[in-house]
Amino acid sequence: IKKLKDALQRECSYINLVIYCTLMNRERFEQSEEIAIRHITEAFTTDIWESAIFALTYANRVLPPAEYETDEEEAEWFHSRIDEFKSVIRRALVESGVSHSKALKVNV
């Protein structure tokens, strides 16, 4: 991350947008991603998250449980997964030093 920060500082004066992509087809948000959030925060300060968007993706491999019989049940499953990831991402931001109010404003 230090190399990335150094390269960005050489090439531009301001970061307009950060897109953090994470796979949702795993059981949970992985600890390695929580560590990455902490390292990004340490390198760029908590201000970096003001211009960030977390992109949650299944990378074209959506595998909802087979027991859902209706589209509504399947949609509810997807929404609960998204809510779960949002919660964990925001918690990781707060644990890395981002204020709770700023973490709530990060687009997920």
Side-chain angles (χ1 to χ4, degrees):
I1 292 181
K2 183 180 178 343
K3 288 180 184 180
L4 174 63
K5 180 181 179 183
D6 293 342
L8 286 170
Q9 287 178 330
R10 280 193 309 275
E11 299 297 324
C12 59
S13 60
Y14 183 76
I15 297 173
N16 293 309
L17 177 65
V18 174
I19 302 174
Y20 188 106
C21 296
T22 186
L23 290 171
M24 288 186 63
N25 52 352
R26 296 179 303 224
E27 288 296 314
R28 57 184 162 71
F29 193 73
E30 294 185 354
Q31 185 178 15
S32 62
E33 293 190 271
E34 293 182 42
I35 292 168
I37 288 171
R38 188 174 65 242
H39 287 305
I40 292 167
T41 304
E42 290 169 357
F44 293 95
T45 76
T46 60
D47 293 340
I48 192 71
W49 302 112
E50 291 178 14
S51 58
I53 295 172
F54 279 82
L56 307 177
T57 180
Y58 281 96
N60 217 19
R61 293 186 190 118
V62 179
L63 299 172
E67 70 261 13
Y68 297 120
E69 296 179 11
T70 67
D71 290 343
E72 291 80 16
E73 289 175 331
E74 190 172 314
E76 186 176 319
W77 178 82
F78 280 112
H79 288 292
S80 69
R81 293 282 294 157
I82 291 168
D83 290 343
E84 177 185 331
F85 270 69
K86 282 181 179 181
S87 176
V88 173
I89 289 167
R90 289 188 170 128
R91 188 196 77 230
L93 289 167
V94 169
E95 288 176 359
S96 72
V98 176
S99 71
H100 182 72
S101 61
K102 191 182 284 189
L104 287 174
K105 292 178 184 175
V106 173
N107 294 301
V108 181

